[in-house]
């Protein structure tokens, strides 16, 4: 049995996501994200993924780290 991970670095932290759980990776497009009034500080806004709205979060804000 083999397991493959996508490694993600946020600040000084390193995280892994099992690739079997990933359905698609998208490039961030700020123009496609709509701000939500009154949303938490960590929430950038919402966008559509496969015709359904999803929330977009800033991991640096969420994990309280500084961008590198």
């Amino acid at each position: 049995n083999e397991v493959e991970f996508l490694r993600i670095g946020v600040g000084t932290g390193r995280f892994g996501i099992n690739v079997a759980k990933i359905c698609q990776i998208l490039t961030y497009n700020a123009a496609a994200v709509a701000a939500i009034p009154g949303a938490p500080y960590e929430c950038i806004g919402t966008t559509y993924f496969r015709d359904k709205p999803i929330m977009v979060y800033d991991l640096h804000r969420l994990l309280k780290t500084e961008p590198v």
Side-chain angles (χ1 to χ4, degrees):
N1 293 332
E2 290 185 15
V3 177
E4 294 178 301
F5 290 95
L6 172 67
R7 291 186 342 174
I8 299 173
V10 179
T12 58
R14 299 291 178 253
F15 304 90
I17 301 172
N18 185 341
V19 296
K21 303 290 182 182
I22 299 171
C23 61
Q24 186 174 354
I25 297 174
L26 302 173
T27 303
Y28 175 67
N29 179 3
V33 178
I36 302 172
Y41 172 71
E42 298 85 3
C43 180
I44 296 173
T46 187
T47 191
Y48 280 88
F49 176 70
R50 296 185 180 178
D51 298 325
K52 293 184 180 179
I54 61 168
M55 302 296 286
V56 179
Y57 289 88
D58 184 325
L59 289 179
H60 288 293
R61 292 179 182 178
L62 192 66
L63 299 172
K64 297 173 178 49
T65 62
E66 291 294 322
V68 177

